[in-house]
Amino acid sequence: MSRQAPTLEDVAREAGVSRATVSRVVNGVRNVDPDIQDLVRHAIERTGYTPNRAARSLVTRRAETVALIVSGAKDAFAARVFADPFFGRVVSGVVGYLRARSMHPVLLFAESEAGRKQVVDYMRQGSADGALVVSILADDPLPEMLLSAKVPTVLFARPGRTAPISYVDVDHRAGGGLAGARLLARGCRHIAAISAPPELPAGQDRLAGFRDALARADRCPPPVVEGAFTLDSGAAAMTTLLREHPEVDGVFAANDLMAQGACQVLREQGRRVPEDVAVVGFDDSSIAMTCRPPLTTVRQPVEDMASTMAKLLHEQVEGARTEPRTVIFEPELVVRESA
Amino acid sequence: MSRQAPTLEDVAREAGVSRATVSRVVNGVRNVDPDIQDLVRHAIERTGYTPNRAARSLVTRRAETVALIVSGAKDAFAARVFADPFFGRVVSGVVGYLRARSMHPVLLFAESEAGRKQVVDYMRQGSADGALVVSILADDPLPEMLLSAKVPTVLFARPGRTAPISYVDVDHRAGGGLAGARLLARGCRHIAAISAPPELPAGQDRLAGFRDALARADRCPPPVVEGAFTLDSGAAAMTTLLREHPEVDGVFAANDLMAQGACQVLREQGRRVPEDVAVVGFDDSSIAMTCRPPLTTVRQPVEDMASTMAKLLHEQVEGARTEPRTVIFEPELVVRESA
DNA sequence: ATGAAAGCGCTAACAG
DNA sequence: CTGTTAGCGCTTTCAT
């Protein structure tokens, strides 16, 4: 990066044509004589020319870059977010779509008010053409900030507050239904649930779908104990369930972490999983596989969702679509050993 | 991003000063009258001005961006790389350093010859100021390609081929020593190892350090079975070990995945971990915690390493240092239940 | 089909 | 301390 890089001008001189012509062949614009194209191409090769990104962006007003924003994670928490395979799957899906279009994701954090401002600024500088937002918390103010800064934006998961923003999501309700149906199919007679914190709409949907499934089978409404999406809260909820409903033989936990906590308590109390009590989780996180026993769980097609998210953004940037769109994906039951 | 964004010119007009002056206050250059600074700041606020990144980059020749390149992962494999918590920890460390300097990481893949070319091109366009490379495979050609394109580069882990490139790494040999010492301290009499594939120098170093530790304690050289860093290979190796050395009571596996495989086989064959056979892994991956029993393992300070990597790159970009540097980190024994 | 010329928005000498 | 003046390298009318 030290010696002066060759510019369009250099190539033009070398090929004996004008800058404009070289620019045309570089960008594959038609209306260029094939012979001259060759001429230019050779000159490019000889000079080792590569277009300068900044100069191009300055005039095209395109960064060929999208921001992948993890929003809502507190500082200390940030490391965990990245270490979670879920994040990796999102990255993988996004990259899968972008790379074919020679676009690249820039990683951004927004874990505080200041962080959100910085992110918005970053976007307003034109550093990226649009934003892909993964919010950790419900009620994240970032999407609306982006919206009012007129930054093309697509979210992973439905926003807490309704707003005209595109997003992708999974059909949580259907997922809960899958879990309920599985427990029913196993012949469980006394089914219960460990639910999500009430402020998470997705969690409520999972529970609703689960209840639907039982209702469709003419079962009475199941006992539900609220959890907090953590291992400990799952364990605590299971303890409560066991005390108040010792006859329980099937449990749906609204995420894998709580399912794992439940399994631990079950084992400690001498109940076998799945023989005595069947357990179904949600998310198919890495825990699901390493848990003992491996968890039967509901899987979100995260990679597909992420790549669709990138696609929606791309279309929005290209101006092909302007009205917000939402795409909902079907979850899938992954049967392992716990149910 | 639709309506015309205000430019320096607009702010200058609004404040009744020249563009240069506005530029100076925006960039915090001294030599500006405090009163005028205020004037300008207000004008900036009124107009809602944000500097245009491309225009600035064009003249400063700085992208304020570094590329974080995952190199050597085959396409299908790519998803796994990202899903591995290790990658998340790298990202976390890198971001930790960069964010304070308002720089951002762009994610790049290079899984084939074509991919590597694209990456080099990307860098030559000036899209990023330097490259942070995490190679999955030994003998990755990318670092040298970057080197000859004069792209400032820092690697995670020592390169396969020796080259004048900066890198950070952990003292693998010391790590192996830690593992050996732990097994010794537990009082194991018959210690064995499941080693890494021979083409990975880091794996060989781990084994060497492990052997050193035993030698220092006047033990005879331990039996070693080669693994391939996978769960299955760890299980297979353990099976072999048990057959050929049924008296074994302590095992060092060169990574956690193989350690987990070993634990599974041990349990299946009715050996208790750690009572009958103690097991030490390497990496402190997420598996280590979810494994049954939780793995005693050797931890690399990945976040620190990654942020140091970013720092070395930054210094190199700033021109403060020109000769390649390497920083080696001390590994740490994480004691859990398996040994 | 090609060239000439006008910027894109910003920074950085250089004057004053 | 502030303003003037050149560009940075590229795309894109507008002529030709």
Side-chain angles (χ1 to χ4, degrees):
Chain A
M1 313 290 266
S2 53
R3 119 216 98 140
Q4 206 58 273
T7 73
L8 262 196
E9 184 77 51
D10 297 325
V11 179
R13 196 179 314 116
E14 177 83 16
V17 299
S18 73
R19 293 210 309 270
T21 301
V22 179
S23 174
R24 288 188 187 103
V25 347
V26 167
N27 295 293
V29 177
R30 287 177 306 280
N31 302 347
V32 180
D33 185 290
D35 290 353
I36 297 204
Q37 283 194 34
D38 274 14
L39 209 60
V40 171
R41 260 187 257 288
H42 286 138
I44 289 178
E45 204 144 327
R46 274 199 302 280
T47 54
Y49 169 75
T50 311
N52 176 298
R53 164 81 54 123
R56 176 179 287 178
S57 286
L58 183 54
V59 30
T60 61
R61 291 159 177 294
R62 279 282 159 58
E64 308 272 272
T65 290
V66 309
L68 178 52
I69 308 172
V70 177
S71 180
K74 293 287 177 203
D75 241 2
F77 194 62
R80 292 210 198 140
V81 173
F82 284 139
D84 190 315
F86 165 81
F87 173 71
R89 292 178 65 196
V90 170
V91 170
S92 170
V94 167
V95 171
Y97 180 87
L98 293 182
R99 61 177 351 205
R101 284 133 192 107
S102 65
M103 301 186 65
H104 305 272
V106 179
L107 254 33
L108 260 42
F109 266 109
E111 82 296 351
S112 64
E113 190 53 31
R116 285 188 282 275
K117 286 227 178 67
Q118 283 174 25
V119 163
V120 173
D121 260 16
Y122 184 86
M123 299 306 302
R124 295 190 51 218
Q125 292 175 19
S127 314
D129 300 323
L132 262 17
V133 180
V134 180
S135 289
I136 305 301
L137 302 175
D139 235 40
D140 184 3
L142 184 64
E144 295 193 36
M145 292 171 67
L146 256 12
L147 187 64
S148 60
K150 305 208 172 151
V151 177
T153 302
V154 181
L155 313 181
F156 192 101
R158 173 155 55 87
R161 333 175 178 186
T162 312
I165 307 187
S166 293
Y167 66 85
V168 300
D169 207 341
V170 76
D171 187 340
H172 295 280
R173 189 153 188 150
L178 252 24
R182 174 68 188 174
L183 259 13
L184 253 12
R186 276 192 68 91
C188 295
R189 311 294 312 164
H190 305 283
I191 302 180
I194 298 174
S195 72
E199 65 273 19
L200 292 181
Q204 296 310 304
D205 289 347
R206 293 174 187 180
L207 183 60
F210 172 74
R211 282 180 163 134
D212 287 351
L214 298 201
R216 274 196 301 272
D218 293 324
R219 300 297 183 91
C220 7
V224 174
V225 178
E226 187 183 316
F229 266 19
T230 63
L231 185 84
D232 290 345
S233 73
M238 191 67 237
T239 304
T240 305
L241 236 27
L242 244 21
R243 185 178 58 237
E244 298 179 358
H245 305 274
E247 73 284 8
V248 65
D249 64 354
V251 176
F252 166 52
N255 78 350
D256 288 342
L257 217 44
M258 296 196 296
Q260 185 182 26
C263 286
Q264 287 176 1
V265 167
L266 252 9
R267 177 193 312 228
E268 284 163 15
Q269 306 217 0
R271 311 264 186 138
R272 292 168 303 165
V273 177
E275 294 82 353
D276 302 327
V277 183
V279 176
V280 179
F282 205 111
D283 281 346
D284 193 27
S285 61
S286 63
I287 290 165
M289 265 177 303
T290 53
C291 188
R292 296 248 127 202
L295 246 35
T296 289
T297 185
V298 178
R299 180 183 175 87
Q300 306 190 36
V302 176
E303 288 86 351
D304 287 351
M305 293 167 72
S307 90
T308 298
M309 184 167 59
K311 177 166 167 241
L312 290 181
L313 182 61
H314 190 221
E315 291 175 353
Q316 196 171 323
V317 169
E318 294 299 317
R321 318 206 149 261
T322 163
E323 79 287 3
R325 299 216 301 153
T326 104
V327 181
I328 305 298
F329 289 77
E330 283 309 307
E332 178 194 358
L333 184 75
V334 179
V335 176
R336 296 210 178 81
E337 299 175 24
S338 71
Chain B
M1 312 294 266
S2 52
R3 115 214 103 141
Q4 206 57 273
T7 73
L8 261 196
E9 185 79 51
D10 297 325
V11 179
R13 197 180 312 116
E14 177 82 15
V17 300
S18 73
R19 292 209 311 268
T21 300
V22 178
S23 174
R24 288 189 188 103
V25 346
V26 167
N27 294 294
V29 178
R30 287 176 306 278
N31 304 346
V32 181
D33 184 290
D35 290 355
I36 299 205
Q37 283 195 33
D38 274 16
L39 208 62
V40 171
R41 261 188 256 287
H42 287 137
I44 288 177
E45 205 145 324
R46 275 198 302 281
T47 53
Y49 169 76
T50 311
N52 176 298
R53 162 82 53 127
R56 178 179 286 177
S57 286
L58 184 54
V59 33
T60 61
R61 290 161 177 292
R62 279 283 160 55
E64 308 272 272
T65 291
V66 309
L68 178 52
I69 308 173
V70 177
S71 179
K74 294 287 177 203
D75 241 2
F77 194 63
R80 294 211 194 138
V81 174
F82 283 137
D84 190 315
F86 165 80
F87 173 71
R89 293 178 64 196
V90 171
V91 169
S92 172
V94 167
V95 170
Y97 179 87
L98 294 182
R99 61 178 350 203
R101 283 133 192 106
S102 66
M103 301 186 65
H104 305 274
V106 177
L107 252 34
L108 259 42
F109 265 110
E111 82 296 351
S112 64
E113 189 53 32
R116 284 188 281 274
K117 285 227 178 68
Q118 282 174 26
V119 163
V120 173
D121 259 16
Y122 184 86
M123 300 305 303
R124 294 191 52 217
Q125 293 175 19
S127 314
D129 300 324
L132 262 17
V133 180
V134 180
S135 290
I136 304 302
L137 303 175
D139 234 39
D140 184 4
L142 184 64
E144 295 193 40
M145 293 172 68
L146 256 11
L147 187 64
S148 61
K150 305 210 172 149
V151 177
T153 303
V154 181
L155 313 181
F156 192 101
R158 173 156 54 88
R161 330 176 180 185
T162 312
I165 308 186
S166 294
Y167 67 85
V168 301
D169 206 340
V170 75
D171 187 340
H172 294 280
R173 189 152 188 151
L178 251 25
R182 175 67 189 173
L183 259 13
L184 253 10
R186 276 193 67 93
C188 295
R189 311 294 314 163
H190 305 283
I191 301 179
I194 298 174
S195 70
E199 66 273 22
L200 292 181
Q204 295 311 305
D205 290 346
R206 293 174 188 182
L207 182 61
F210 172 73
R211 283 179 163 136
D212 287 349
L214 298 201
R216 273 196 302 272
D218 294 324
R219 301 295 183 92
C220 6
V224 174
V225 177
E226 187 183 314
F229 266 20
T230 63
L231 185 85
D232 290 345
S233 74
M238 191 66 237
T239 304
T240 305
L241 235 28
L242 244 22
R243 186 179 55 236
E244 298 178 358
H245 305 274
E247 74 284 7
V248 65
D249 64 354
V251 176
F252 166 52
N255 79 348
D256 288 342
L257 217 43
M258 297 195 295
Q260 184 183 25
C263 286
Q264 288 176 0
V265 166
L266 252 10
R267 179 193 311 231
E268 284 163 15
Q269 307 218 358
R271 311 265 186 135
R272 293 167 304 166
V273 177
E275 294 83 354
D276 302 328
V277 183
V279 176
V280 178
F282 205 111
D283 282 346
D284 193 26
S285 60
S286 65
I287 289 165
M289 265 176 302
T290 54
C291 187
R292 296 250 126 200
L295 245 36
T296 288
T297 185
V298 178
R299 180 182 175 88
Q300 306 191 36
V302 176
E303 288 87 352
D304 288 351
M305 294 166 72
S307 91
T308 297
M309 185 168 56
K311 178 166 165 241
L312 290 181
L313 183 60
H314 190 218
E315 291 174 354
Q316 197 171 324
V317 169
E318 293 299 316
R321 317 206 150 261
T322 164
E323 79 289 2
R325 298 218 301 154
T326 103
V327 181
I328 305 297
F329 289 76
E330 282 309 307
E332 178 193 358
L333 185 75
V334 178
V335 176
R336 295 212 178 80
E337 298 175 26
S338 71

